[in-house]
Amino acid sequence: MALFLSLCIALLFSFCHGLANAAIPPPPLDGLVENGDFEEAPAKSNLNKTVIIGKHSLPKWEINGLVEYVSGGPQPGGFFLAIPRGAHAVRLGNEASISQILTVKPGSVYALTFGATRTCAQDEVLKVSVPGQSSDLPLQTLYSSDGGDTYSLAWKATSKAVKVTFHNPGVQEDPSCGPLLDAIAIKELPPLKRTIGNLVKNGGFEVGPHVFKNFSTGILIPAKQQDLISPLPGWIVESLKPVKYIDKKHFFVPSGFAAIEMVAGRESAIAQVIRTIPNKFYNLTFTIGDAKNACHGSMMVEAFAAKETVKAPYVSQGKGGSKTASLRFQAISDRTRITFYSAYYHNKMHDYGHMCGPVLDDVRVFPTH
């Protein structure tokens, strides 16, 4: 009898333990993918100088074509490769790709953050794809002269396993040319919650992609192409060039954890469509400043809402600082587009190869009389 009771108790405990575990969902993904910094090297027997031999020789990744495993610093032929986020990276040669299968939650939105730099030609392109969606990122414009350009793309998961592929579709004369990847991370983006007293979603840019902890020059959010999901929920980058997502640890941010730096003048505009009541009056307020990154000079952020516009000037010393601006407008329909862009182009004070611009944060719209 005692044995039967103890067996029943053990079975009951096991059942309850299983139920408890089943009720706890896995934590949201937010960090490097497996061997996302490429610090886990291929075996020496699978390397011919820098070229990786064998489809499964790069730990946790599947490779196709000419993929090199490279270290930062001087290279043969007079090259110098900057690898700011670690000691190693991979370079994708002509038509080469690397891919990894990620475990995700169907229905959730995920953002990839990855360090990508061109190494030879002006017209290098990196194609990033998941099933049903692909994006071609032109890498000809360098926003950071130290090889620190970081990008983010987002998608909605439709299955539990998603194969992410980074592919170089180009064909260069030198087969070892091609984009350099030095860190890849993923983050599950939470559903946006409405903010009481603010019609703008994610107005403080607090929900955004994963930020690398050890090194950041900001994250470039590319222009929105058709039907793509934004890694900056609520917002549309509706121009030719990206805007930059910056964080408090590495930059001056007027409020909260994150803000946007408008790095490409009139070519990088950011917008959101909000619900309004026709003929009702509203106030649009926002904060502008500089990121404390030696971006100096006379800056100007232009904001548009309905038929109104405001030009908000800001004189930057490049040392961090901010001011607020506002615009009163009358809604002309039940949807109103609010848009911001930088009127001028800017470069860092001692580094003319490094594009920069004014910071935008804390965007609010609320009804007024």
Side-chain angles (χ1 to χ4, degrees):
M1 186 66 181
L3 184 63
F4 176 73
L5 271 173
S6 60
L7 190 62
C8 284
I9 290 165
L11 282 168
L12 188 64
F13 176 77
S14 173
F15 176 71
C16 291
H17 187 65
L19 270 182
N21 280 351
I24 301 170
L29 288 175
D30 187 5
L32 288 172
V33 301
E34 288 192 281
N35 198 23
D37 55 4
F38 306 109
E39 296 304 307
E40 205 178 323
K44 283 198 166 62
S45 57
N46 293 330
L47 283 171
N48 179 5
K49 294 185 180 169
T50 57
V51 177
I52 305 171
I53 310 299
K55 197 170 186 172
H56 302 285
S57 298
L58 178 63
K60 310 294 188 290
W61 294 91
E62 180 185 301
I63 71 169
N64 282 287
L66 185 117
V67 178
E68 291 182 272
Y69 187 73
V70 296
S71 304
Q75 308 291 317
F79 276 127
F80 181 91
L81 290 181
I83 301 176
R85 294 168 197 80
H88 299 97
V90 294
R91 181 158 57 183
L92 305 178
N94 288 338
E95 290 288 357
S97 67
I98 64 167
S99 54
Q100 184 175 132
I101 294 172
L102 303 174
T103 302
V104 291
K105 291 183 221 162
S108 291
V109 173
Y110 292 88
L112 287 170
T113 300
F114 50 94
T117 315
R118 66 174 168 85
T119 52
C120 303
Q122 282 285 344
D123 59 349
E124 285 177 22
V125 169
L126 179 66
K127 183 188 276 288
V128 184
S129 55
V130 294
Q133 181 182 311
S134 71
S135 301
D136 286 359
L137 278 179
L139 299 178
Q140 69 263 37
T141 303
L142 295 181
Y143 292 87
S144 313
S145 54
D146 56 2
D149 279 353
T150 309
Y151 291 86
S152 184
L153 293 168
W155 83 95
K156 192 171 191 172
T158 54
S159 60
K160 288 183 179 178
V162 172
K163 187 176 189 178
V164 176
T165 302
F166 294 85
H167 172 63
N168 171 18
V171 178
Q172 306 288 348
E173 280 181 44
D174 181 348
S176 66
C177 279
L180 194 75
L181 286 165
D182 75 326
I184 298 168
I186 187 171
K187 181 179 177 182
E188 182 182 335
L189 298 177
L192 284 183
K193 292 174 183 164
R194 287 202 171 276
T195 311
I196 295 169
N198 187 8
L199 296 173
V200 178
K201 291 180 180 174
N202 200 17
F205 307 104
E206 297 300 285
V207 180
H210 176 84
V211 177
F212 295 123
K213 290 178 178 62
N214 61 339
F215 176 91
S216 180
T217 57
I219 300 165
L220 295 162
I221 311 286
K224 184 181 169 72
Q225 291 149 10
Q226 203 111 34
D227 298 324
L228 288 195
I229 290 167
S230 174
L232 196 59
W235 293 95
I236 309 157
V237 180
E238 54 169 21
S239 48
L240 297 173
K241 298 286 172 71
V243 297
K244 187 178 274 191
Y245 185 71
I246 59 172
D247 68 294
K248 188 179 177 179
K249 184 179 174 186
H250 301 96
F251 300 88
F252 172 79
V253 167
S255 68
F257 169 75
I260 289 297
E261 186 184 7
M262 306 175 87
V263 290
R266 288 173 180 255
E267 292 178 273
S268 66
I270 187 165
Q272 184 171 142
V273 178
I274 59 171
R275 289 174 181 271
T276 48
I277 298 167
N279 301 318
K280 199 171 172 69
F281 283 92
Y282 295 86
N283 254 356
L284 163 65
T285 64
F286 55 97
T287 302
I288 58 170
D290 72 279
K292 199 178 177 181
N293 59 349
C295 197
H296 71 300
S298 294
M299 296 178 172
M300 178 87 73
V301 172
E302 293 196 37
F304 302 83
K307 290 181 176 176
E308 304 300 324
T309 178
V310 65
K311 294 182 177 184
Y314 179 80
V315 179
S316 169
Q317 307 295 323
K319 298 174 182 176
S322 65
K323 62 179 270 192
T324 55
S326 66
L327 170 68
R328 187 170 182 259
F329 68 92
Q330 185 176 19
I332 50 178
S333 74
D334 57 1
R335 295 279 191 283
T336 299
R337 179 181 292 266
I338 55 170
T339 306
F340 301 88
Y341 68 72
S342 166
Y344 311 131
Y345 294 86
H346 300 275
N347 302 91
K348 279 196 175 183
M349 202 181 306
H350 305 297
D351 181 358
Y352 293 111
H354 201 131
M355 296 171 78
C356 60
V359 166
L360 174 69
D361 200 5
D362 203 20
V363 181
R364 296 171 186 270
V365 171
F366 47 89
T368 184
H369 298 296

